[in-house]
Amino acid sequence: MRILLVEDERKVASFVARALRENAYAVDSAGTGEDGLRLALENPYDAILLDVRLPGMSGIELCRKLRQAEIQSPILMLTARSLVEQRVEGLDAGADDYLTKPFALAELQARVRALVRRGFRRGEAKLRCGDLELDRHRRSVIRGSARVPLTSKEFALLELLLLRSPDSVTRSEIIEHVWDSHFDSDTNLVEVYINRLRQKIDQGHGPKLVHTLRGVGYRMGAAE
Ligand code: CA
């Protein structure tokens, strides 16, 4: 899942970005509303986090512009104080939720999870394919009766494949949703990660769940 964070305070931005990355999200950061708008027009985000107080274009203005541009990504506004007017203004501008600074990381993570879920309009905490089960809240994966230990990138990749299953996901969609804008798309990292996922999920099990569609992408499914 890929997130855009628009926040001018560097300390807050790096703290939030690090926490989100630890939870397997790919994060792009912008320090101004103008940069945020440019990134949001260029990339598909699963959620957008906007600070209200930005130099130049405010978070509220940016939110309004994003909705005018028909960007549907769920938006969480970060407000400096618990000002009722600010919250109302944000929601009126098209934000889905708000969080008052200072906030606890656990709270932020819970809100982002809820936001991403809302974006996919799929509320289920558990995603399944055959005898494989991915728990989005516990961030755990089980195949049969055995726990499958995954790194955060492997988890994010599997989550995306399961959310789209039985449809396929293209290589470029994987890059867009699992990695951030620093990703070098010429590398074969996607293939490497798919192979690792296969080794962890399919090796010693049947039926195979991860399928390659030549020239198209990848798909999860219990049937061949
Ligand atoms: Ca600010």
Side-chain angles (χ1 to χ4, degrees), residues 7-9 51-55 101:
E7 165 67 85
D8 61 311
E9 289 154 80
D51 182 30
V52 168
R53 292 179 153 216
L54 295 168
K101 286 183 183 176

Side-chain angles (χ1 to χ4, degrees), residues 144-186:
S145 55
R147 217 183 143 209
V148 184
L150 296 179
T151 65
S152 61
K153 281 285 181 233
E154 291 163 357
F155 184 93
L157 176 58
L158 180 62
E159 187 180 25
L160 177 64
L161 289 169
L162 287 169
L163 278 167
R164 298 294 178 79
S165 172
D167 294 330
S168 61
V169 184
T170 65
R171 187 175 178 279
S172 59
E173 279 180 298
I174 291 172
I175 293 169
E176 281 170 356
H177 288 275
V178 179
W179 278 274
D180 54 35
S181 59
H182 302 295
F183 185 79
D184 176 4
S185 59
D186 291 333

